Amino acid sequence: MSAPLFPLFADLRNRPVRVVGGGGIAERKVEALLRAGALPRVGAPELSPRLQGWRDQGRIEWQAGEFREDWLDGVWLAIAATDDAAINQRVAAVAEARRLLFNVVDDAELSSFQVPAVVDRGALQIAISSGGAAPMLARHLRKRLEIQLDDAWGDLAALFARQRERIRARFPDLAQRRRFFEQLLAGPLQRLFRQRQQARAEEAFETSLRQTATAPTQGSVTLVGAGPGDPGLITLNALRAMNEADVILHDRLVSDEVLQLSRRDAVRIEVGKSAQGHSVRQEQIHALMLEHARAGKQVVRLKGGDPFVFGRGGEELEFLRAHAIPYEVVPGITAALACAAYAGIPLTHRDHAQSLRLVTAHCKDSQHLLDEGGLDWAALAQERQTLAVYMGVAGLDTVRTRLIQAGRAPQTPFALIENGSRANQRVVTGTLADLPDAARWHQVRSPALLILGEVAALADTLHWFGDAPLHAAPPHSANLPVPKLPQAA
Ligand code: SAH
């Protein structure tokens, strides 16, 4: 077994580095060298347009022609980036004889140094190398780290660099200094950078620099939209929050696949609500958030879809604000958008609709459809608009009757999407007149979303996910035994 490589971060500022080759590969190396403040000297018969541009700006030197030994005079490193194996080998041999470190691009065997895969967060650089043994593995790991480490790390590194002297002066003792950093990192600094609250981050830093005694760490709550179910639809920010969470309070609507992505040792508490009954009341959810945040925990409040679309996110933020608990919000893909996409329904197709309304069939503290008063049926019945009705399965009779009374055509197409974006997704299409019968016939259950408007008919041709749409009840369905509609919505 060969010995592992010696990791090294080189200071190349104002140091000449030879790059042999003038094409695309050389271009990438030169770009990295320029970022590090090096003085690239490029030797090649001709230059790519970008290299030519850097030369015109005086940022690189160019020696025209074929490789010559004297190209390695006065440089600190050499990089062979041509597509000619013989030239690359000559560069390697000459550099070796001169005890110059050299890299042959894409040839780890021939190189005496390698350029690692890098996760770049400003002053903080994470370099990954497999010593040429498994570059794919290194690249894969790099991708994972890219996802996990947000930009706040770069801001933290910059702050620490700026404040280095002051921190040393304040805590001359190494053990003390270490404790200080640990406390600082457990605090709100990183969150504040993520929220682009530079001034408050600086303030938090100043406060901890003044403090001597160990202050209790401050907890926080992140409201996270988990999307409709397909784990591929959560955001990078959601993934990070779930990775950092100590406690996850999740709705029943959040899919198992999404929950699998959260930190293994996080405490998971289901606070699911269904339309039949509140399995955990909203006040209890508030109390749980408060309890854990006050205990210094990073709490993630994970909700189906988007937290601000019929998700009670607003009430939760008001509560947190009133109790001075810091919070963040990560949006998610709401059911209307996901169901439409996964059913092949372009919500505002310009031939058919100019607006989209998100409507709920429930209101606060009510388990019943807002039949009287709450909804403006005349407005909902207008043409050339698409309705996305949440939590509506139990109220479809009312929806049909009211909309037709208010003037919407009985032939208006609908699509009911059950378990949108999940493996068990079902789509039922038909016309408004048949809506409740169709739902009963196919026993559509919660979670299901109703899309009503001309665009809904496009699901029949544009569907791409799962099975083709089912159609409304067969003719004379009134004579057939009709399964009882579940009361769930
Ligand atoms: N905050 C959520 C909505 C919560 S209300 C969001 O933004 O999506 C719950 C209702 O959302 C359900 O009754 C149903 O109408 C709809 N819904 C949520 N997820 C769904 C899914 N995967 N498929 C179909 N409808 C869904």
Side-chain angles (χ1 to χ4, degrees):
M1 220 186 79
S2 60
L5 296 174
F6 181 76
L8 183 76
F9 285 91
D11 181 358
L12 292 179
R13 283 172 301 175
N14 298 316
R15 299 203 158 104
V17 174
R18 169 60 62 188
V19 176
V20 183
I25 307 168
E27 201 177 281
R28 281 202 300 279
K29 297 295 163 194
V30 167
E31 190 174 20
L33 288 168
L34 285 172
R35 233 191 346 255
L39 304 174
R41 293 182 181 168
V42 179
E46 47 196 49
L47 296 181
S48 75
R50 268 185 95 203
L51 286 168
Q52 186 65 55
W54 285 322
R55 180 176 177 253
D56 294 345
Q57 295 166 7
R59 300 180 68 191
I60 65 172
E61 279 178 28
W62 177 36
Q63 282 72 40
E66 295 294 329
F67 174 65
R68 293 195 317 264
E69 280 204 35
D70 66 1
W71 280 6
L72 298 190
D73 291 349
V75 298
W76 292 77
L77 292 174
I79 296 175
T82 78
D83 49 12
D84 183 329
I87 294 182
N88 287 347
Q89 254 161 30
R90 267 195 64 218
V91 176
V94 175
E96 175 77 22
R98 294 181 173 215
R99 304 188 179 193
L100 266 183
L101 285 175
F102 59 94
N103 172 261
V104 180
V105 174
D106 283 337
D107 194 337
E109 287 289 300
L110 202 57
S111 303
S112 67
F113 81 86
Q114 280 162 38
V115 184
V118 171
V119 181
D120 182 344
R121 295 290 179 272
L124 197 67
Q125 303 257 327
I126 303 167
I128 307 156
S129 161
S130 65
M136 292 307 284
L137 203 63
R139 242 166 283 171
H140 183 74
L141 183 59
R142 198 202 72 135
K143 253 188 272 167
R144 297 223 334 219
L145 292 173
E146 280 286 359
I147 289 170
Q148 261 170 47
L149 305 174
D150 58 38
D151 290 344
W153 286 93
D155 297 314
L156 270 179
L159 175 74
F160 287 0
R162 274 200 309 279
Q163 301 289 353
R164 217 178 122 161
E165 294 309 319
R166 288 183 65 213
I167 298 169
R168 277 173 176 271
R170 176 80 177 77
F171 303 106
D173 172 61
L174 180 65
Q176 244 186 356
R177 207 151 61 230
R178 217 173 262 156
R179 252 198 320 279
F180 166 74
F181 275 116
E182 253 156 45
Q183 246 186 65
L184 197 61
L185 290 171
L189 212 53
Q190 192 149 9
R191 174 175 54 77
L192 290 170
F193 277 126
R194 221 168 30 227
Q195 293 173 214
R196 300 283 179 258
Q197 306 268 354
Q198 184 78 29
R200 287 175 60 199
E202 304 273 349
E203 216 172 276
F205 172 82
E206 294 299 329
T207 309
S208 31
L209 201 60
R210 276 195 303 270
Q211 271 163 2
T212 29
T214 33
T217 56
Q218 195 184 23
S220 70
V221 176
T222 308
L223 239 61
V224 176
D230 178 347
L233 293 181
I234 72 169
T235 63
L236 292 183
N237 284 354
L239 197 60
R240 283 182 199 126
M242 287 164 65
N243 260 311
E244 283 166 20
D246 301 307
V247 178
I248 296 181
L249 304 177
H250 66 92
D251 283 352
R252 223 179 37 141
L253 215 52
V254 175
S255 72
D256 287 340
E257 289 91 330
V258 168
L259 281 173
Q260 298 288 327
L261 298 174
S262 54
R263 203 176 108 189
R264 270 184 221 236
D265 47 358
V267 176
R268 292 184 203 166
I269 305 172
E270 183 180 315
V271 291
K273 280 186 300 239
S274 64
Q276 297 105 310
H278 302 247
S279 59
V280 175
R281 293 197 57 82
Q282 193 63 32
E283 301 81 66
Q284 281 172 276
I285 297 175
H286 288 175
L288 278 168
M289 292 194 300
L290 192 61
E291 177 196 330
H292 290 292
R294 284 205 169 143
K297 307 283 188 222
Q298 307 299 314
V299 180
V300 159
R301 172 76 180 98
L302 195 59
K303 293 162 169 292
D306 179 88
F308 283 177
V309 178
F310 308 129
R312 301 225 177 172
E315 287 149 82
E316 289 174 11
L317 286 201
E318 281 160 4
F319 176 84
L320 293 169
R321 162 110 333 186
H323 291 82
I325 304 289
Y327 55 76
E328 289 174 80
V329 183
V330 179
I333 295 186
T334 190
L337 303 187
C339 290
Y342 279 62
I345 300 174
L347 288 168
T348 60
H349 191 301
R350 42 191 266 167
D351 292 346
H352 307 293
Q354 278 163 323
S355 70
L356 164 70
R357 269 176 201 255
L358 306 187
V359 186
T360 178
H362 281 91
C363 71
K364 192 179 172 185
D365 293 330
S366 156
Q367 293 174 29
H368 302 288
L369 185 80
L370 270 184
D371 191 17
E372 308 304 327
L375 288 173
D376 180 352
W377 293 102
L380 294 179
Q382 274 161 27
E383 308 273 302
R384 289 191 64 79
Q385 74 170 331
T386 306
L387 301 184
V389 184
Y390 289 68
M391 295 181 276
V393 179
L396 295 178
D397 283 296
T398 315
V399 168
R400 177 187 65 167
T401 312
R402 290 295 181 131
L403 284 178
I404 292 178
Q405 272 174 2
R408 196 78 159 118
Q411 314 85 283
T412 307
F414 77 81
L416 266 171
I417 300 109
E418 180 191 73
N419 288 309
S421 88
R422 303 176 184 206
N424 54 350
Q425 168 174 306
R426 288 199 307 163
V427 179
V428 177
T429 57
T431 56
L432 180 55
D434 298 328
L435 171 60
D437 282 340
R440 272 190 282 271
W441 179 256
H442 292 291
Q443 303 195 42
V444 174
R445 283 167 202 277
S446 178
L449 182 99
L450 168 67
I451 296 179
L452 190 99
E454 272 61 37
V455 294
L458 296 172
D460 290 327
T461 41
L462 297 182
H463 70 85
W464 57 272
F465 181 82
D467 293 334
L470 304 161
H471 288 116
H476 314 301
S477 61
N479 300 329
L480 293 164
V482 171
K484 200 173 159 354
L485 178 70
Q487 282 310 295

